[in-house]
Amino acid sequence: MGLQIHFVVDPQGWCCMGIIIFVWLYNTVFIPKVILFPHYEEGHISAVAILCYYLCSLFCIVSLLRSSVADPGRLPENPKIPLTEREFWELCNKCNMMRPKRSHHCSRCGHCVRRMDHHCPWINNCVGEDNHWLFLQLCFYTQLLSSFTLILDFCHYYYFLPLKKTNWDFFVFRHELALIRISTFMGLVILGGISGLFYTQLMGIFTQQIVKSQVSF
């Protein structure tokens, strides 16, 4: 099934997404320039580490964009309800439209979403039946990129050999400590928040699967 475009006009959501894109852009630009490329030039790391970091960064931003514009499961205005399934539908008291049970009305988006989990301001979109897997994918790649960044921040000061060739005329090297500390702080905050969210999402899925298996028996 192809992904349908779903764009939400919400200034608050745009601001939240702007913050996430800024954090991604910050680490994608400064981490290679301060850590990866200088240590690669002096033979401390291989080109594979640089390639892996850029791949993680690419997967992360692509997942963010896909989950933000993917249709979460918006219900059409005049849904065709099969006679055999009418008992599984109900009337929404906010938009006065018929919807399947377990659907919810999103006040931000202004419509009902099938199996809506929550409205996430960080992707400026609802998380529902059709884009839940994209949201989980985003959480996974964000954890991966944050962990990779934190490991590089740690190794730069406590594991890698000191750099011999550095151009201290460059802004990034004159303010290296501050840049690394900012990167570490953002990495810890994002990794902690996303890890907790990813855990609760997985536990919810596993719980639903267990309930379904018990009902089927």
Side-chain angles (χ1 to χ4, degrees):
M1 181 177 64
L3 295 177
Q4 297 181 358
I5 301 299
H6 178 259
F7 186 76
V8 180
V9 180
D10 183 7
Q12 180 181 350
W14 294 343
C15 291
C16 291
M17 270 200 69
I19 294 173
I20 296 299
I21 293 175
F22 168 77
V23 173
W24 169 83
L25 190 62
Y26 180 94
N27 287 287
T28 303
V29 171
F30 286 117
I31 291 301
K33 197 163 188 176
V34 176
I35 300 177
L36 290 173
F37 288 122
H39 284 286
Y40 169 73
E41 291 174 358
E42 297 192 8
H44 301 161
I45 60 175
S46 67
V48 176
I50 300 176
L51 178 62
C52 289
Y53 190 82
Y54 276 120
L55 283 176
C56 288
S57 181
L58 177 63
F59 291 156
C60 188
I61 192 64
V62 169
S63 298
L64 173 64
L65 296 177
R66 291 184 70 192
S67 60
S68 65
V69 300
D71 184 3
R74 178 178 180 175
L75 290 168
E77 294 185 359
N78 297 308
K80 296 181 180 180
I81 309 173
L83 292 175
T84 56
E85 297 182 6
R86 288 188 179 274
E87 60 179 316
F88 302 109
W89 287 64
E90 61 186 7
L91 181 68
C92 175
N93 57 9
K94 294 182 179 179
C95 59
N96 295 320
M97 289 177 53
M98 294 299 294
R99 66 185 186 185
K101 293 182 178 179
R102 294 185 63 191
S103 300
H104 296 281
H105 184 89
C106 177
S107 58
R108 283 283 180 185
C109 298
H111 52 73
C112 291
V113 177
R114 294 191 307 271
R115 295 192 178 186
M116 175 180 167
D117 185 83
H118 68 286
H119 182 91
C120 180
W122 303 108
I123 64 172
N124 193 33
N125 200 359
C126 289
V127 178
E129 184 179 66
D130 291 346
N131 71 339
H132 202 167
W133 66 278
L134 286 172
F135 182 73
L136 292 175
Q137 191 180 76
L138 172 62
C139 291
F140 173 76
Y141 286 130
T142 302
Q143 289 180 95
L144 197 61
L145 182 61
S146 299
S147 300
F148 204 162
T149 301
L150 289 172
I151 290 172
L152 289 174
D153 291 342
F154 176 83
C155 291
H156 180 63
Y157 280 108
Y158 300 105
Y159 183 75
F160 293 148
L161 295 174
L163 294 173
K164 298 177 181 178
K165 301 177 183 179
T166 52
N167 189 345
W168 294 102
D169 293 333
F170 286 165
F171 173 86
V172 292
F173 290 111
R174 285 189 283 118
H175 301 276
E176 174 190 349
L177 182 59
L179 294 173
I180 295 297
R181 284 179 175 176
I182 293 173
S183 172
T184 303
F185 173 76
M186 292 190 298
L188 289 172
V189 171
I190 292 179
L191 181 61
I194 289 294
S195 297
L197 180 61
F198 190 62
Y199 173 78
T200 56
Q201 291 288 315
L202 290 181
M203 289 304 297
I205 293 174
F206 292 150
T207 302
Q208 290 179 8
Q209 293 298 325
I210 292 174
V211 171
K212 286 182 179 180
S213 62
Q214 290 176 347
V215 171
S216 62
F217 282 112

